[in-house]
Amino acid sequence: MVPAWLWLLYLSIPQAVPEAQPEELYVEVPENYGGNFPLYLTKLLLPHEEAEGQIVLSGDSGRTAEGPFAVDPESGFLLVTKALDREEQAEYQLQVTLETKDGHVLWGPQPVLVHVKDENDQASGHQATATVEVSIVESTWVPLEPIHLAENLKVSYPHHVAQVHWSGGDVHYHLESQPPGPFGVDTEGILYVTRELDRETQAEYLLQLRAQNLRGEDYAEPLGLHVVVMDENDNVPVCPPPGPPLSIPELSPIGTEVTRVVAKDADAPDSPNSHIVYQLLSPEPEEGAEGRTFELDPTSGSVSLGIAPLQAGQDILLQVLAMDLAGAEGGLSSMCEVTITVTDINDHAPEFTTSQIGPISLPEDVEPGTLVATLTATDADLEPAFRLMDFAIEKGNMEGIFGLDWEPDSGHVQLRLRKNLSYEAAPSHEVVVVVQNVAELVGPGPGPGATATVTVLVERMIPPPKLDQESYETSVPVSTPAGSLLLTVQASEPMNRTLRFSLVNDSEGWLCIEKVSGEVHTAQSLQGARPGDTYTVLVEAQDADEPRLSTSATLVIHFLKASPAPALTLAPVLSRHLCTPRQDHGVIVSGRSEDPDLASGHGPYSFALGPNPTVQRDWRLQPLNGSHAYLTLALHWVEPREHRVPVVVSHNAQTWQLLVRVIVCRCNKEGQCMRKVGRMKGMPTKLSAVGILVGTLAAIGFFLILIFTHLALARKKHLDQPADSVPLKTTV
């Protein structure tokens, strides 16, 4: 007894199973066969998927069989090529394999046993005598004409197509088809087809009909019958499989072949059923266009460019109708489609969006690197490589003052300053910037839009005004009267420009400043100011010609205790004269006093007009230096007379008043004062002169009246005399 575990171990070990071999085929061949050769014996079951091998027929010893046997490589039939003699060899042991060229077996071996069937062809040692009655009849076993059968024939099947007849009796009909087809023959010799035929699958068949006895022996040579399958238009034209889009550059010449549409038709070659013509359906010509974008040769299917232009970036779907029967009615058709992409070429030059920029004003002290302007250029091409641009300054940059900055893939370029500007060297610049493609341009060159002009104006830099002090301070008693001069704000150095002064943040309104001279006065009494306090305002100075140029300084006023008002003394001041209308003359006023108490100490004198509004309106007082002031007319016209102008002088916390005697008069061209004079003795006055003139004219008129009256009376008296009182003329 074998243990169970040993059986399990045996079953678990993989066993080598030999590959199944094809079963042996048995074939009988009559000896001394008198029919046609080769004689097909049996069909071998060769594999169709390995048809690339070669069929090898060999004997039982493995060597190639040298004899009457062969294998038809197309049909796979084993055949015999000549008559066999059983007395020479009764059996043949064959094997068939499918091998590669290097001897590798793909299929087989298939053993075949061929038995030679014995015939009574040998004489025996005994003899017999027999009487045979032979009757001769007309033979009906005659060849048939080729049969033409329409494919896809719509009839009931099996369908009778022909008939053969053997005139003898005890006949059995046998049919063989090369290649095998749907044919059969019945006992009456009627040949029939069992189903519809397809010419595209098999265009013709070769049939062999045999008349045999009951033992399967042929009575006569087999009849060959050629069956031809007639074509009908049952296959539509087949378009080529769709592929990737075809590319064609824009601006390609007219007539350039784009593609060739070639459809296939499985119907009979060189027949109307496979005669294909073509028709272009799409794209259709645009409305109003002179021609089409594409032209199609209806015979060859060649698609070429028409006269209508292409546009870069277009994706065009070509629809071509392929029709058999040469396009005749009743034919079959298929729609073939081809996608065409119009590729871009560099045929557009870049252009600036704006050809004139500016004028742009830049101060001459602007720092290098400053952005002057940004220019934008565009390119109508679609391909990114064709839109790459290069910029350069064509002219207007001889000194290298300007430069360009841009990104390689950008259409924006920045014009920047590389060097300092100089108004004296060049008050203006016209910079011409040019743009061009990096890639080579196809077609016409750049147009006028490829340049842009940037106009730059250089602004002369005028330094802002500078005051002689960054801040001003002064101390004044709280009792300082209105109109008192506190100090003078002036430029740090002589300037050929006029400054305009103003006060900012004078919240109390205590101060005022002369716009031109910069004198700061008390605008009103310092009511509310307390000793020890400070008052801060901002003095602003602007350039009269360039108001944007300005500067400022703080003014701090320290308030002091009110000093006892000293008695105002009138200092003797020499009388002067000024002209009206106003001329460029003035009176110099000295601040020094003859009083030693007032004149003691050091420091400048300050001057101010008296608080009388009329005086402040008519007169103007300007300091000359630390000890003198300059008095002029403030109005164009002041009444001619003697004026006494009060001037308040402050020095070392002391204040006194001067009365300046000024004679205002009308002046001649030399600026000399024309004074009134009294009447001179012996000379008539205006009134007396007028009286004398009027009296003289009256006397002359009186005498003239008398004369004209006398003449009128004398003439009247003469007219009133009678006619005869006039003496007659003496006749000679």
Side-chain angles (χ1 to χ4, degrees):
M1 178 74 62
V2 178
W5 64 268
L6 188 57
W7 280 107
L8 293 175
L9 179 61
Y10 173 78
L11 293 176
S12 63
I13 298 176
Q15 304 296 319
V17 179
E19 184 177 357
Q21 298 294 329
E23 295 182 359
E24 184 180 51
L25 296 179
Y26 178 78
V27 181
E28 281 190 354
V29 180
E31 69 172 335
N32 301 323
Y33 175 70
N36 293 331
F37 290 95
L39 175 63
Y40 289 84
L41 302 179
T42 184
K43 181 174 178 59
L44 301 175
L45 300 178
L46 295 173
H48 296 285
E49 65 274 6
E50 297 179 346
E52 68 273 7
Q54 59 183 357
I55 300 173
V56 177
L57 178 64
S58 60
D60 52 1
S61 62
R63 57 183 177 84
T64 302
E66 296 180 358
F69 298 99
V71 177
D72 186 0
E74 294 183 359
S75 63
F77 271 85
L78 178 65
L79 50 89
V80 61
T81 59
K82 65 179 182 178
L84 303 179
D85 188 357
R86 186 178 184 279
E87 282 68 30
E88 293 181 3
Q89 186 171 347
E91 289 183 345
Y92 295 86
Q93 186 69 41
L94 308 176
Q95 64 178 8
V96 182
T97 56
L98 184 63
E99 301 178 3
T100 60
K101 292 182 179 181
D102 57 359
H104 178 67
V105 177
L106 300 176
W107 175 84
Q110 170 67 62
V112 180
L113 178 60
V114 180
H115 177 73
V116 182
K117 188 178 180 181
D118 185 30
E119 294 289 339
N120 189 18
D121 57 347
Q122 299 294 329
S124 62
H126 304 279
Q127 295 184 354
T129 302
T131 302
V132 178
E133 182 179 355
V134 178
S135 60
I136 300 175
V137 296
E138 182 181 3
S139 175
T140 59
W141 192 249
V142 295
L144 299 176
E145 295 293 330
I147 301 175
H148 292 78
L149 295 179
E151 65 173 333
N152 304 319
L153 186 63
K154 304 301 180 183
V155 295
S156 60
Y157 291 93
H159 176 61
H160 170 253
V161 295
Q163 185 175 7
V164 294
H165 179 69
W166 178 257
S167 56
D170 298 329
V171 63
H172 172 69
Y173 298 103
H174 177 71
L175 182 143
E176 294 177 357
S177 174
Q178 291 295 329
F183 300 97
V185 62
D186 60 9
T187 57
E188 301 297 327
I190 296 176
L191 182 66
Y192 56 87
V193 60
T194 60
R195 56 178 173 83
E196 295 181 6
L197 299 178
D198 185 6
R199 193 206 67 83
E200 287 70 40
T201 302
Q202 184 64 41
E204 57 185 23
Y205 297 88
L206 182 59
L207 306 182
Q208 280 192 343
L209 296 171
R210 298 178 182 276
Q212 299 177 340
N213 57 22
L214 297 179
R215 295 188 304 273
E217 299 171 349
D218 290 340
Y219 286 117
E221 294 290 333
L223 296 180
L225 179 60
H226 188 200
V227 178
V228 179
V229 183
M230 295 186 298
D231 183 45
E232 70 172 12
N233 192 22
D234 60 340
N235 289 279
V236 298
V238 178
C239 296
L246 302 176
S247 298
I248 183 169
E250 62 173 336
L251 301 183
S252 295
I254 297 174
T256 301
E257 186 177 65
V258 179
T259 185
R260 186 180 294 267
V261 179
V262 179
K264 302 295 184 180
D265 197 310
D267 291 322
D270 301 326
S271 69
N273 294 337
S274 61
H275 186 188
I276 300 176
V277 295
Y278 303 92
Q279 179 183 357
L280 181 62
L281 299 183
S282 175
E284 297 181 352
E286 297 182 1
E287 184 177 356
E290 296 182 358
R292 304 182 68 125
T293 306
F294 297 96
E295 298 292 343
L296 174 68
D297 186 337
T299 303
S300 64
S302 174
V303 180
S304 58
L305 291 181
I307 62 175
L310 298 173
Q311 295 182 359
Q314 281 183 300
D315 288 328
I316 303 173
L317 179 64
L318 285 181
Q319 292 183 327
V320 177
L321 187 64
M323 303 171 290
D324 61 12
L325 292 183
E329 184 178 358
L332 303 177
S333 63
S334 295
M335 181 71 71
C336 303
E337 294 184 347
V338 179
T339 301
I340 297 176
T341 298
V342 182
T343 57
D344 188 28
I345 64 173
N346 190 22
D347 61 333
H348 293 90
E351 294 184 348
F352 287 107
T353 57
T354 304
S355 60
Q356 296 288 336
I357 299 177
I360 300 172
S361 298
L362 291 178
E364 62 178 342
D365 64 343
V366 67
E367 293 291 332
T370 301
L371 176 64
V372 178
T374 299
L375 295 81
T376 302
T378 59
D379 194 312
D381 290 314
L382 300 180
E383 187 66 29
F386 299 154
R387 295 202 302 267
L388 296 179
M389 306 175 196
D390 194 11
F391 300 90
I393 297 178
E394 189 175 54
K395 61 181 179 179
N397 193 33
M398 295 294 295
E399 302 297 329
I401 298 176
F402 302 94
L404 299 175
D405 294 331
W406 73 93
E407 295 295 333
D409 57 348
S410 172
H412 305 284
V413 59
Q414 294 179 339
L415 178 65
R416 291 187 177 273
L417 202 62
R418 294 286 188 259
K419 298 181 180 179
N420 291 320
L421 296 171
S422 173
Y423 179 85
E424 289 73 16
S428 65
H429 300 268
E430 284 194 354
V431 183
V432 179
V433 182
V434 63
V435 60
Q436 61 184 3
N437 279 125
V438 174
E440 183 179 358
L441 186 66
V442 179
T451 59
T453 302
V454 182
T455 303
V456 179
L457 302 180
V458 182
E459 296 179 356
R460 183 195 299 270
M461 282 307 300
I462 303 175
K466 186 177 181 181
L467 302 179
D468 59 347
Q469 299 181 31
E470 294 182 358
S471 63
Y472 296 86
E473 291 190 19
T474 186
S475 300
V476 297
V478 295
S479 59
T480 302
S484 299
L485 176 65
L486 303 183
L487 52 84
T488 301
V489 179
Q490 57 188 3
S492 61
E493 56 186 20
M495 303 174 61
N496 56 0
R497 295 179 291 171
T498 303
L499 298 182
R500 294 288 185 264
F501 299 94
S502 62
L503 294 177
V504 182
N505 297 334
D506 184 14
S507 59
E508 300 295 337
W510 286 336
L511 307 177
C512 62
I513 189 170
E514 288 290 336
K515 289 185 177 180
V516 178
S517 66
E519 295 178 351
V520 180
H521 297 264
T522 54
Q524 59 181 348
S525 62
L526 304 178
Q527 185 177 0
R530 294 181 298 179
D533 291 346
T534 58
Y535 185 64
T536 303
V537 296
L538 187 67
V539 180
E540 187 176 77
Q542 286 185 329
D543 192 308
D545 297 327
E546 296 287 342
R548 62 184 180 84
L549 302 176
S550 64
T551 187
S552 61
T554 57
L555 171 58
V556 181
I557 299 176
H558 301 273
F559 295 118
L560 306 175
K561 291 177 62 175
S563 59
L568 295 176
T569 59
L570 294 177
V573 178
L574 296 177
S575 63
R576 307 291 173 86
H577 77 270
L578 295 177
C579 297
T580 184
R582 183 180 61 194
Q583 295 185 6
D584 296 332
H585 301 288
V587 176
I588 298 177
V589 179
S590 176
R592 292 188 175 91
S593 175
E594 296 180 357
D595 188 346
D597 295 333
L598 299 177
S600 62
H602 299 282
Y605 291 81
S606 62
F607 300 87
L609 293 172
N612 190 332
T614 303
V615 174
Q616 295 186 0
R617 181 197 67 188
D618 295 345
W619 300 91
R620 177 176 296 166
L621 188 63
Q622 298 178 349
L624 284 178
N625 48 41
S627 60
H628 293 78
Y630 194 60
L631 180 67
T632 60
L633 294 176
L635 300 179
H636 183 70
W637 172 267
V638 176
E639 181 183 359
R641 62 179 178 86
E642 182 178 328
H643 295 264
R644 292 181 179 272
V645 182
V647 177
V648 179
V649 183
S650 299
H651 178 66
N652 292 335
Q654 300 293 328
T655 303
W656 64 92
Q657 179 174 302
L658 299 177
L659 290 179
V660 181
R661 180 173 173 266
V662 182
I663 296 175
V664 179
C665 59
R666 300 174 66 88
C667 299
N668 58 17
K669 294 182 179 180
E670 288 76 16
Q672 298 176 350
C673 185
M674 297 186 298
R675 298 174 180 269
K676 290 184 178 181
V677 296
R679 182 175 63 87
M680 297 178 63
K681 293 182 180 181
M683 296 298 292
T685 64
K686 288 183 180 180
L687 186 60
S688 61
V690 171
I692 293 172
L693 180 60
V694 173
T696 302
L697 293 176
I700 294 174
F702 177 73
F703 284 113
L704 291 175
I705 292 173
L706 290 178
I707 293 172
F708 282 113
T709 303
H710 176 74
L711 292 176
L713 292 176
R715 181 177 178 79
K716 182 178 180 182
K717 181 178 179 181
H718 178 73
L719 294 176
D720 290 342
Q721 290 182 1
D724 55 0
S725 63
V726 179
L728 298 174
K729 293 183 179 180
T730 302
T731 304
V732 181

